[in-house]
Amino acid sequence: MRLANHDHLGAALAMKEATVRLGDIVALQSVTLTLHQGEQVAVVGPNGAGKSTLLKTIAGLLQPSSGSVLVYGHRPPGHICIAYLPQRNVVDWAFPVTVGDVVMMGRIGRLGLFRRPSRHDHMIVAGCLNTVGLSDLLGQRIAELSGGQQQRMFIARALAQEAGLMVMDEPLTGLDATSQEAILDLLAEFPRRNVATVVTNHDLTMSSQRFDRIVLLNSRVIADGPPEKVLTEKNLLAAYGSHVHRIHDAREPLAVSDSCCDP
């Protein structure tokens, strides 16, 4: 499969001093975030911290009231380079489409709305389904998929889109341990495909084990860097406040619990 190549367009993501308001609420405050081709970052923070808002802003679904967002040198709305995977609970799984239909939707930006998929497009879809291990489910209705299969289908759609930047909102939530590992193993292949990835995740331990870079967010960026420098007691207290609880395992000095909802 052809690898994405956007070197001539600059950074995969360049967000500078972006502030996003949702009504009277400042959901994101002066957020600066840069991501290069093939780089991966996990965004963590308490519920209500603006993680979903961050991804929607990167994807162009929300516009910053100030600051700027560029994806490979261009503003995000309608950008063919961006693949946005929302939380599964906002998808209408009763919609009568098949796995193959959804993955082919990733080709629309290349095809245009009124062109029929060519043999080449069908080959790309088949290759993407093979990559995520869903070749035998090409004609399956999406309502009949397990949670892990649903996420792998969306990853296949992003690969078919030949996206250079993938933003994934809580892709591991509600999945069993085996399905989580399968998704994480697929994500680990993205740097080789030159795909930059932003993933929100509520599991700090998993994020520290599977990602080399973590952004700790609570409306603003509390810390950004390697897990050992980001997930410190000082930073976690700044992000989670009273929702941080001390435990007695010396290897994990703090545990975190959330009690509200993301904007």
Side-chain angles (χ1 to χ4, degrees):
M1 187 182 302
R2 187 174 59 167
L3 303 183
N5 188 352
H6 308 281
D7 286 332
H8 63 293
L9 296 176
L13 171 65
M15 176 179 278
K16 185 175 181 181
E17 296 291 324
T19 293
V20 178
R21 296 179 179 273
L22 301 178
D24 295 332
I25 299 172
V26 178
L28 294 178
Q29 183 176 354
S30 299
V31 171
T32 294
L33 178 63
T34 301
L35 200 67
H36 296 286
Q37 189 179 56
E39 191 175 6
Q40 295 188 318
V41 61
V43 179
V44 301
N47 288 333
K51 299 188 297 293
S52 293
T53 299
L54 174 67
L55 296 199
K56 289 176 182 177
T57 304
I58 293 170
L61 301 176
L62 292 173
Q63 297 300 312
S65 55
S66 62
S68 62
V69 181
L70 296 177
V71 174
Y72 287 104
H74 300 280
R75 295 180 61 203
H79 203 310
I80 195 172
C81 291
I82 306 171
Y84 170 60
L85 281 69
Q87 294 185 24
R88 287 189 298 125
N89 60 9
V90 303
V91 176
D92 180 6
W93 294 106
F95 197 72
V97 292
T98 67
V99 171
D101 293 333
V102 171
V103 178
M104 185 61 77
M105 290 175 189
R107 300 297 301 160
I108 295 236
R110 307 279 174 184
L111 286 168
L113 286 175
F114 303 109
R115 280 183 52 202
R116 293 178 61 84
S118 66
R119 182 171 178 271
H120 175 67
D121 294 308
H122 284 288
M123 289 177 61
I124 288 177
V125 167
C128 293
L129 285 170
N130 182 63
T131 296
V132 302
L134 294 181
S135 292
D136 56 339
L137 298 182
L138 176 69
Q140 192 96 344
R141 292 293 182 96
I142 63 172
E144 300 168 351
L145 302 178
S146 69
Q149 289 169 337
Q150 290 168 353
Q151 293 294 41
R152 284 189 282 153
M153 174 187 70
F154 279 133
I155 291 173
R157 184 184 68 177
L159 292 174
Q161 183 180 335
E162 300 178 83
L165 173 63
M166 181 179 293
V167 289
M168 307 177 70
D169 200 355
E170 297 283 359
L172 306 178
T173 297
L175 304 186
D176 59 36
T178 300
S179 296
Q180 289 184 358
E181 286 299 315
I183 298 301
L184 288 166
D185 287 345
L186 283 172
L187 296 187
E189 291 294 312
F190 283 4
R192 186 180 67 81
R193 296 177 179 272
N194 299 328
V195 178
T197 316
V198 184
V199 180
T200 61
N201 188 20
H202 66 272
D203 189 326
L204 300 184
T205 300
M206 179 185 294
S207 296
S208 66
Q209 292 172 344
R210 298 300 295 255
F211 291 85
D212 294 330
R213 180 182 172 194
I214 292 179
V215 170
L216 181 59
L217 184 75
N218 192 351
S219 181
R220 62 185 179 86
V221 174
I222 305 296
D224 179 356
E228 65 274 11
K229 294 190 179 297
V230 170
L231 301 180
T232 65
E233 181 170 348
K234 177 182 177 182
N235 289 338
L236 291 174
L237 286 169
Y240 291 88
S242 61
H243 298 288
V244 174
H245 303 285
R246 189 173 299 279
I247 59 178
H248 297 293
D249 187 341
R251 294 168 298 177
E252 294 187 35
L254 295 173
V256 176
S257 63
D258 300 337
S259 60
C260 36
C261 298
D262 261 330

